[in-house]
Structure formats: C-alpha cells, structure tokens
Amino acid sequence: MIFGLNSNGQSVGLVLSGGGAKGMAHIGVIRLLEENNIPIDYISGTSIGAIVGGLYAAGYTTEEMEELFKSDDFYFWSTGKIQKDYRYYFKVPEEDPAWIDISFEKKDDKVKLLPPTNIIPEEQMDFAFMELLAATNAACKYNFDSLMVPFLCVATDVNKSEPKVLRNGDLGAAIRASMTVPLYFKPIKIDGELLFDGGIVNNFPQDITKEAFQPDIIIGHKVANDKKAAESDDLRSQISNLVMRPTNFEIAEGEGIVLETEFENVGLLDFQKIDMAVKAGIETTELSIDSIKSMVTRRVSLKTVNEKRQKFNAKKPQLFFQNIQIEGVRDNMQRRFIIESIKGNYDVISLSRFKQEYFKLIADEHIKSIMPIARYNRETGYFDVHLEVEQEKKVAVNIGGNISTKPINQGFASINYRTYKRRAYSLTSNLYFGRFYSSVKLGARIDYPTRLPFYLEAFTTLNRWDFFASSSELFFEDVRPPYIIQNENNTRIESGFPLKQHSKFYGGIAYSNSIDQYYLTDVVNKEDEPDQTTFNSFSTVISFENKSLNYRQYADEGAFRKISVRYITGKETWTPGTTSPQTKTVTEKNHNYFLIKAHTNRYFKFNKIFTLGLLGEVVFSNKESFSNFRSTKLAAPGFYPTPHSKSLFIENFHSNNYMAGGMSTIFQLIPNLDLRLEGYGFVPVNEDLPEMSNSTEQNNFIQNYYLQGMAALVYQTGIGPLSLSLNYYDKQNTQVYFLLSFGYIMFNKRGF
C-alpha cells in the first residue's frame, strides 16, 4: 500500500525505457515535467531507464544526474577503467602482450574452458553503485516504496528467461542488474538468481508499473530503437535480435501517453553525447506538454518537490564503515589479511580509505572480482561491509602478440597457475614466437601478506632477436637476411615491497649469458661468417619505480618514473668473423662497472581533447668499450621511446652514457581514438668508441645528437591498441617507416 498522495488528485507514474546512452534523454523529460509542475508519483525503468529512474527516486536532481554522467568518475565506472589514484602498482605482474585471458576449471573430472564473459570489467561499476546508493538504502530501509518516489525496475532471470521485478533490497544492486547488457557486463546475483539486463524481456515496463502502483495516468518515454532486420555482416544486431524479445511500447488510450525520442547517431555507450541527449528529451516533452497538461490536471510545484527531496536526503547517513565480512575465501589467513588490509589499525574507516584499499585488492591477480555490499547498522550508526570475493581459477591461459605490416609479427601465449595457502603463489610460463623475436620464460612469485607486504620471485628466460637489413622504400621493404642476431638467456631473483599506491622498491641479482652475432660491414655475402661477442655476467640491482599509466602502450594518462643502480661484472669474448679487419685471434676482456639509469614520463591533461606528455631519460656508467664499435653499441643501453622503435636496432640511439628526452602532443578525436605527434632527441655523452680512438672528437663531452619522431592514429580497442603510424629515425639507410599494427610490441626482460 502506497501512502502520501493527495486523495483528491490524480497519481502519475513515469516509465522509462532502456536504450543505452540514448536514455540520458530521460533526464530532459523529467526536467521539463518538473518545470511544468507535472507530478511524478511513481517511477519505473529498465536498463538506462532504471539508472535515471533510480537516481531520481533516490533524491538526485536532474542537474546532479547530468553532472554525474559528465563526470570523470562516470567515465571510469562505465568503461571499467581504473582511475589513476587507485592503480596499485605493487601487485601488477611483469607486462606482456596478452589480449585475452582464458581460465580453466576442473569439474566432475572434466576440464572446462572458461572464456571471458564480459568486455567491461565490473569492479568500478559495483563500487560506484554502492558509493552512490548505500546511504539511500539506509534512508528507505531497503524498501523501494519508501524512496523519495516509489520505484521499481526490471531485470531478466538468466536461467528462467523471465522478468524479475525488483522493488526492495539493495537499490544499487537492483539497478546494476537491470542495466547489465550481455557480453558488455558480467551478470549479477540477487537472492541466488543470476540476472541480466531487463531489456531482454521487457524494455518498457508500463504493464508492470500499472499492476504494481495502479497510477491514474502513465507517462512513458521511449528511446529504444524498434527491432530491425540484421545484415549478414552485422554481428551485434544479430545477437541483439536473438536475445531481445518484442516489447509493447503502447499505452491504452485514456490511460496515459508515450513520448518517443529518436536518435540516429547515438550508440549504446556514447555517454559523451549527454548534452545532445538531454536537449532532445526536453524537445520531445515540449512537443507534448499541452497534451500532458490536459491529461494530468493535478499540479505539484517545484518548490514542493525540492522540499520533499531535501527531507528524504536528510535521512541519509554519512558513509563510514566498521564491520567487514568476507564470503568466497576459504583460507582464514587470507580472509584476515583482506580485513586488515582495508581497516588497518582503525575501528572505523572513511569511504576514501575503503575505496583505495578495495582497488588494491582488485589488483591482486589471485582475485577475479569483489562485490561490495554496504548495509547500515542502526545500532552502531555505521555501515557494515559484506564483500563477495570471487577468486581467480587456478589455471589461466593468456593469448596475444602483435600483427603488423612489417616483419615483426609475433604471437604470445602464457600459462599461469595460481593458488593461495597462507601466501599467494604464482607459477608462470610464456612463449613468444615470430621471425623477429622469440622467447621462453619460466618463473614463480610468492606474495607474503605481512603488515608490510613483500614478494619474492625468480625467472629463467631465453631471448632471441633477429634484426633485419632493409631497403629505403617507404611502404615496401626488401628484407635481406639478418645482419644482427642477439641471443640472451638469464636467471633473475628479485624481492620488493610497496611504497604507497603507485610505487615499489625492489632489489635483485641476475646471471646473464648473451651471444651477439653481427657483421662489421653493411655489405656481406652469403658465405661470410659473422663476428661473435659473448658476454657472461653477474649483476645486482636496486630500483625504485612509480607507475600509474593507463595503458601498457600508447598511454595518455598517469606517469612512470624509475631510478635504478646496477653493478655488473662479467667476461667478454670476441671471435672475429670473415668481414672483420682484425686478426682471427679470439680476444677476452673483463668488465666491472656501475650503471645508473633514471627515467621519467608524465602526461598532463589540459582538457578532454588535449594532453601533453613529457619524457626524460639519463644513463650514466663507468663502463669501458667492448672490443669493436658494433659490439660496444650492442652491449650499450638504448633509447626507444615508441613501440615501433623497440623493433629496431639503431646504433645512433645506443651509448654507455646519454641524455634523452622529448614530448608528445595527444589529441582525443573521439573516445579511445587519439592522434599522437611525438618528437625525441638523443645525446651521447663523453662517448669513446674503438674506431674513434684517434679522433679529436673523443675529448668533447657532447659529440652529436640524433632525432626521432612519430605521428600516429591509435585506437584502444579494449584488448589491445590498433595503430597507424609514420615513424622517423635519424640514421643511415631507411629513415621513415609506415606501420599498421594491432597489439603490443613487447618483450621479456633481459638479465641486465
């Protein structure tokens, strides 16, 4: 039974359809109804209609809703991306070029393949709905009839394939269920039932609204497109037509009115077009406002609505959290670790601390998802948090690589085994395969959940690079046999601990064996044998890293800073080849040196369109030259600031001591599509090479400088970047490279 209406007046129910980002037009409809004193006594919706209707029922004004949809927070939780302030670097494993993760599960003595179920990660969205509506749940006591305006929404029961009407419980979870579009978002469980988007079975719940609330008049707003015949090459429309049932968008004459706003160029997730959508909703309502006024004779002033809203909002308690319960974790120590990670030494924690620690836990590769549910405890005056933790499957396979128009294509696959027994254990192996680069890595990591967490890891890696000589053609290259082959195998042991959110400090030791094969002339015959330099070494390193970049490659937000100090000791062995001007005598030489490297890369976002990136890098060492010019260059650190540059060996950008830097200007054309213009300079410092031993230039502190640049269109697809780039390098022979590429140009680590 619903109370509080004027017994002498009409009651009005507002029904809002689904339709993705087009549903932001609902805000314009509500705004114009309020401005014309048309009452909204009940409200219902499906999908985006559930979001707008639920927020309105929770006491949000149309201005607040519009501000929310325009905010950076909404962008992050609607795309699943993690805000810079909540990217926890310590738990991030070594980067690889993976596109997708595929898990395996053993059930009934059978191994079951579990491909990804959703494109957009759900953690941001789950936390956002809790943050937005936990206080509302406390104010209405989990009864949607007791909201500022009585509300209901519709979801779809996945197993029964029938509508699920949600009128009580957690408001955030109900809205989350109603708008969970299959393939885009992961389904949610409520009362043990797995729920998807309500638009599958009822995209315009006017019949349910009529039955539940019995309003005198129903005002409906439709933004969903009518079903159209799918084309043979339009997979999204085919799937949509298969799963979406026909919906009745009509209201019987005398019972109400249906407003319809049509869009031609607003997609499912085009939320950046909110201004256009809200304006369209206002215009639609203006066209029918006289009909609405003649149908609805009762009036409620905007002042009265605002007073009602303020009265309801005054019931909302502040978000402070005390008790924490964990579900889905069998290990008591892990459960205790999660609780202590969130609460620390505090009895009561704020929303900001809870949010930061929540995303630290999400970064753990052993945890697949955490569903936060906050319930108000009237005895304590604080919220109790219930965390439904879903752990990752023990076995997972990652697949990825790079596909491009140059001979640098590579495939990637990895197998990871994860388990948790008082500590978190990860066993990993990966394989790169391709003409240019191939590699195998085996390793393990143990994470210790102590008061100051730390990890211990060890890896053995075999690397091979084949660098090709090419013609000077811009688009088509005449690839000749490799002129440099680098083989390197290493074993590394490393341990580190976190320093705040984005930083870690670590140290390690490594053994490395590298074999470089090369020619000392650019003109070689098939029968020529290359020179070979072998360097067997041990190294120790201590390093500080700070990283908050938003993408593995082509980042446009955040920062990466690193400073490392290495001590390397090893033995060089040079065996001259047939093109060497030296004798055939094998030369051996010991090397002991320090190498200090500092790197900084940061992006400054001036507005939604323009971002400026600055990069700087300095290397200092007391390393002596190797036995010849090319072996010295091959063993020297290199500067490769762009993805394509990592696929080349360019002698001009290698030196034992150098300063380098540059900038990138990034223009966002549409969401996820950037135009990047980048330029960099490289300055060798006090360079003393074997061929320069008699040169007067060797005494100069700075002898030369070299430039490189890139112009690129980059689209971040969600599983990897698609790029079209033009790359320039200050070097001999080919200087300009045109590249169309999908995926990541990325390698396993070297030993030093």
Side-chain angles (χ1 to χ4, degrees):
M1 187 71 179
I2 309 298
F3 297 97
L5 296 181
N6 185 336
S7 60
N8 297 321
Q10 299 166 304
S11 60
V12 179
L14 179 63
V15 180
L16 307 176
S17 81
K22 296 188 290 289
M24 293 183 294
H26 296 323
I27 297 173
V29 173
I30 294 173
R31 179 172 296 166
L32 204 72
L33 292 178
E34 283 190 336
E35 289 175 354
N36 284 272
N37 300 327
I38 304 298
I40 300 174
D41 300 305
Y42 313 104
I43 193 164
S44 64
T46 296
S47 197
I48 184 67
I51 297 176
V52 175
L55 290 174
Y56 182 77
Y60 286 81
T61 66
T62 56
E63 290 76 17
E64 288 170 337
M65 283 190 276
E66 192 171 356
E67 183 179 346
L68 174 64
F69 279 110
K70 288 180 177 180
S71 68
D72 290 338
D73 285 342
F74 177 81
Y75 166 78
F76 282 113
W77 67 259
S78 65
T79 59
K81 297 174 182 177
I82 306 296
Q83 298 103 311
K84 182 181 69 175
D85 292 343
Y86 301 104
R87 295 171 194 151
Y88 187 47
Y89 183 49
F90 174 69
K91 285 289 187 177
V92 176
E94 292 186 356
E95 289 187 333
D96 60 46
W99 299 341
I100 59 172
D101 300 341
I102 301 173
S103 299
F104 291 87
E105 181 182 46
K106 188 176 180 181
K107 196 172 185 179
D108 300 328
D109 295 326
K110 294 181 180 180
V111 177
K112 188 177 181 182
L113 181 68
L114 302 172
T117 58
N118 50 292
I119 297 173
I120 299 175
E122 71 275 12
E123 295 86 6
Q124 279 274 21
M125 184 188 307
D126 290 341
F127 195 93
F129 278 125
M130 187 215 69
E131 181 180 351
L132 288 169
L133 298 170
T136 300
N137 289 325
C140 74
K141 299 180 181 179
Y142 303 92
N143 181 352
F144 299 173
D145 286 348
S146 299
L147 290 164
M148 186 194 90
V149 175
F151 167 77
L152 67 79
C153 62
V154 180
T156 299
D157 188 312
V158 173
N159 296 313
K160 297 179 182 178
S161 190
E162 62 184 26
K164 173 74 174 179
V165 181
L166 300 168
R167 296 187 61 183
N168 52 59
D170 189 292
L171 179 60
I175 296 173
R176 159 81 163 83
S178 183
M179 53 75 60
T180 300
V181 180
L183 299 182
Y184 284 93
F185 305 110
K186 183 181 177 181
I188 183 175
K189 274 190 177 181
I190 295 180
D191 298 330
E193 297 175 335
L194 196 63
L195 304 180
F196 256 139
D197 192 304
I200 297 173
V201 292
N202 191 335
N203 208 22
F204 188 66
Q206 56 87 17
D207 52 339
I208 296 173
T209 302
K210 183 178 178 181
E211 179 181 350
F213 297 131
Q214 299 181 3
D216 297 309
I217 299 294
I218 293 178
I219 300 173
H221 184 219
K222 173 190 174 186
V223 295
N225 293 330
D226 294 323
K227 184 182 289 189
K228 297 179 180 179
E231 300 293 335
S232 60
D233 58 352
D234 190 347
L235 179 62
R236 190 165 67 176
S237 295
Q238 294 168 23
I239 295 174
S240 177
N241 286 352
L242 280 172
V243 301
M244 300 289 284
R245 296 182 189 174
T247 294
N248 178 16
F249 287 101
E250 296 181 358
I251 296 175
E253 187 176 352
E255 294 184 359
I257 185 172
V258 177
L259 313 177
E260 182 173 2
T261 304
E262 296 183 345
F263 297 93
E264 295 294 331
N265 58 345
V266 179
L268 183 70
L269 300 176
D270 286 344
F271 290 102
Q272 75 280 5
K273 297 180 179 179
I274 181 170
D275 289 333
M276 180 180 72
V278 172
K279 182 181 178 183
I282 291 173
E283 292 173 349
T284 295
T285 313
E286 283 177 337
L287 292 174
S288 300
I289 195 65
D290 290 338
S291 299
I292 294 171
K293 286 181 175 179
S294 63
M295 190 176 299
V296 181
T297 57
R298 175 169 155 252
R299 298 288 179 268
V300 175
S301 69
L302 187 56
K303 180 182 178 182
T304 301
V305 173
N306 286 331
E307 288 174 350
K308 182 180 179 182
R309 180 178 290 116
Q310 291 170 6
K311 184 177 180 181
F312 179 78
N313 286 336
K315 299 178 184 178
K316 297 179 181 179
Q318 288 186 296
L319 288 178
F320 287 95
F321 306 90
Q322 188 177 56
N323 299 317
I324 299 176
Q325 294 89 35
I326 309 294
E327 182 180 317
V329 176
R330 286 172 291 184
D331 187 272
N332 289 330
M333 187 171 181
Q334 187 184 19
R335 185 182 295 108
R336 187 165 62 249
F337 171 68
I338 292 174
I339 294 172
E340 290 178 355
S341 296
I342 294 173
K343 293 191 68 175
N345 295 322
Y346 300 97
D347 180 52
V348 177
I349 60 172
S350 65
L351 175 66
S352 60
R353 176 180 171 83
F354 178 37
K355 189 171 185 178
Q356 187 175 70
E357 298 304 323
Y358 169 84
F359 283 107
K360 280 185 181 180
L361 294 170
I362 290 297
D364 192 328
E365 63 177 346
H366 292 79
I367 295 176
K368 185 175 183 179
S369 66
I370 301 177
M371 176 73 175
I373 300 172
R375 289 195 169 271
Y376 187 61
N377 188 327
R378 298 189 181 278
E379 293 182 4
T380 64
Y382 301 115
F383 285 87
D384 296 335
V385 179
H386 183 78
L387 298 179
E388 296 181 0
V389 179
E390 182 181 358
Q391 295 182 293
E392 282 284 7
K393 305 302 180 185
K394 289 187 176 182
V395 180
V397 173
N398 299 333
I399 297 172
N402 178 68
I403 302 171
S404 73
T405 54
K406 297 296 181 187
I408 57 173
N409 299 288
Q410 66 185 36
F412 171 83
S414 71
I415 300 177
N416 303 297
Y417 177 82
R418 297 173 290 241
T419 188
Y420 196 103
K421 294 181 179 179
R422 296 188 174 231
R423 306 176 186 91
Y425 298 89
S426 300
L427 302 177
T428 183
S429 63
N430 70 35
L431 173 67
Y432 290 75
F433 48 94
R435 183 180 182 185
F436 160 63
Y437 174 70
S438 54
S439 179
V440 175
K441 183 175 83 170
L442 299 171
R445 171 168 167 153
I446 306 174
D447 279 274
Y448 295 83
T450 52
R451 186 168 296 277
L452 176 63
F454 71 96
Y455 69 86
L456 179 66
E457 64 183 18
F459 293 101
T460 294
T461 308
L462 282 74
N463 292 308
R464 178 183 174 89
W465 288 266
D466 290 7
F467 295 96
F468 300 92
S470 303
S471 71
S472 58
E473 295 295 327
L474 178 60
F475 295 102
F476 303 98
E477 294 186 359
D478 178 21
V479 177
R480 299 200 296 270
Y483 75 101
I484 293 174
I485 297 177
Q486 289 190 300
N487 289 288
E488 189 258 3
N489 61 77
N490 66 76
T491 299
R492 299 179 284 118
I493 299 175
E494 182 179 296
S495 182
F497 56 87
L499 295 171
K500 296 186 177 180
Q501 190 76 6
H502 301 143
S503 305
K504 71 175 182 178
F505 179 87
Y506 65 90
I509 58 174
Y511 167 77
S512 177
N513 168 253
S514 63
I515 303 173
D516 296 339
Q517 295 179 331
Y518 52 90
Y519 297 97
L520 292 177
T521 177
D522 291 334
V523 179
V524 296
N525 298 314
K526 289 184 178 180
E527 60 272 16
D528 284 330
E529 292 184 6
D531 288 54
Q532 178 172 294
T533 295
T534 301
F535 186 51
N536 295 314
S537 66
F538 287 92
S539 65
T540 60
V541 62
I542 55 172
S543 182
F544 167 81
E545 292 184 8
N546 174 282
K547 192 170 186 179
S548 59
L549 299 177
N550 57 341
Y551 295 117
R552 280 175 276 174
Q553 285 187 340
Y554 298 113
D556 58 9
E557 181 192 82
F560 176 51
R561 305 175 184 92
K562 177 179 179 177
I563 182 166
S564 63
V565 180
R566 292 182 182 272
Y567 176 72
I568 301 167
T569 179
K571 181 179 180 180
E572 171 204 2
T573 303
W574 174 36
T575 304
T578 57
T579 63
S580 174
Q582 306 294 327
T583 64
K584 298 300 181 181
T585 304
V586 174
T587 302
E588 294 183 346
K589 189 177 181 181
N590 292 321
H591 294 271
N592 302 281
Y593 59 94
F594 286 95
L595 190 149
I596 302 173
K597 182 176 181 178
H599 174 97
T600 180
N601 182 22
R602 187 176 179 185
Y603 294 93
F604 301 89
K605 199 172 189 69
F606 287 86
N607 51 52
K608 289 187 176 182
I609 297 176
F610 178 67
T611 298
L612 177 68
L614 298 177
L615 184 148
E617 189 169 289
V618 176
V619 169
F620 169 77
S621 74
N622 60 344
K623 181 181 179 182
E624 295 180 352
S625 297
F626 274 32
S627 298
N628 59 65
F629 173 85
R630 188 145 287 164
S631 64
T632 299
K633 287 289 190 178
L634 283 166
F639 176 64
Y640 295 105
T642 64
H644 178 258
S645 66
K646 301 179 194 301
S647 69
L648 303 174
F649 178 81
I650 308 174
E651 292 173 346
N652 291 347
F653 294 95
H654 281 257
S655 180
N656 290 326
N657 297 276
Y658 67 78
M659 297 182 296
M663 68 170 57
S664 55
T665 55
I666 305 169
F667 302 91
Q668 186 181 84
L669 305 181
I670 59 174
N672 299 323
L673 178 63
D674 292 342
L675 170 64
R676 303 177 70 101
L677 302 174
E678 303 186 17
Y680 304 95
F682 177 87
V683 180
V685 175
N686 202 24
E687 191 172 40
D688 186 7
L689 299 172
E691 279 80 347
M692 296 171 60
S693 58
N694 297 320
S695 170
T696 58
E697 292 185 0
Q698 66 177 329
N699 295 321
N700 295 335
F701 183 69
I702 295 177
Q703 293 138 9
N704 210 335
Y705 67 90
Y706 303 96
L707 303 176
Q708 62 173 285
M710 180 189 74
L713 282 171
V714 181
Y715 182 74
Q716 298 287 355
T717 66
I719 62 172
L722 175 64
S723 62
L724 181 67
S725 65
L726 196 65
N727 302 269
Y728 168 79
Y729 305 99
D730 190 353
K731 68 182 186 71
Q732 292 182 340
N733 300 322
T734 307
Q735 292 182 316
V736 178
Y737 294 79
F738 175 82
L739 184 71
L740 176 62
S741 175
F742 174 76
Y744 302 94
I745 301 175
M746 200 171 283
F747 316 121
N748 279 328
K749 283 187 175 182
R750 295 177 183 256
F752 65 91

